[in-house]
Amino acid sequence: MNKAIGLFQKFIGKDSSKSISPLMRWLNPTLLSASEGELEFSYLIREEMTNPMGILHGGTTAAIIDDAIGAAVYSLGKPNMYTTVNLAVDYFASAKAGDTIVAQTFITKNGNQIVNSCCEIWNADKTRMIAKGHSNLIKINTERK
């Protein structure tokens, strides 16, 4: 087991208030499960995450997908950091303030230069898909901390 996934596994069942990612601290999901390249988080939708209609803002949904995918790539334990080069999101259903949603991430292609990943957003009981996104991340010339 790599060091990064070992760290994630220590946080299963806990919120993200101590995350290294400022965005993840603001989104504050609870980590539900963690294995190399696959993470699952739950999020309580707060009012500040919604649009004027009171439903989860599309930009917040994209941020959840991008941040969860970044965490999944980090969980691979690669020596370099990776950054998003594209993000495509399909929106299928809404969620409102007070709802809990679940984000499931997985790595589609674990390349040396490019990593392709996917994230699905579901309602709490996983009977309705809210959104699905996929992204490519590219290796940058900075070693991870």
Side-chain angles (χ1 to χ4, degrees):
M1 175 185 335
N2 73 57
K3 188 173 155 181
I5 198 62
L7 179 66
F8 277 114
Q9 289 181 344
K10 289 180 185 177
F11 287 100
I12 292 175
K14 298 180 181 170
D15 70 20
S16 298
S17 58
K18 296 189 183 340
S19 173
I20 62 171
S21 165
L23 178 61
M24 189 169 278
R25 288 194 303 266
W26 182 80
L27 294 168
N28 201 26
T30 298
L31 182 61
L32 301 176
S33 65
S35 59
E36 200 169 291
E38 295 185 19
L39 301 174
E40 185 174 33
F41 298 94
S42 70
Y43 300 77
L44 175 63
I45 304 303
R46 304 183 311 272
E47 184 180 10
E48 64 268 24
M49 299 167 121
T50 65
N51 64 24
M53 294 181 292
I55 61 174
L56 180 62
H57 192 288
T60 306
T61 305
I64 288 169
I65 291 169
D66 191 45
D67 210 49
I69 284 174
V73 172
Y74 190 83
S75 78
L76 296 171
K78 292 175 171 264
N80 289 86
M81 297 297 290
Y82 286 72
T83 191
T84 304
V85 292
N86 70 337
L87 175 66
V89 181
D90 294 314
Y91 300 92
F92 303 115
S94 62
K96 62 185 182 313
D99 287 352
T100 297
I101 58 171
V102 175
Q104 297 176 298
T105 63
F106 54 92
I107 303 301
T108 307
K109 171 85 168 75
N110 182 7
N112 180 45
Q113 288 293 102
I114 299 282
V115 176
N116 181 274
S117 187
C118 183
C119 180
E120 298 175 346
I121 308 288
W122 295 85
N123 65 341
D125 63 4
K126 298 182 189 171
T127 58
R128 185 171 38 97
M129 185 180 286
I130 306 296
K132 181 176 182 176
H134 66 272
S135 178
N136 288 299
L137 295 91
I138 191 166
K139 180 168 69 173
I140 58 176
N141 292 329
T142 303
E143 290 197 14
R144 56 194 261 168
K145 295 177 183 179

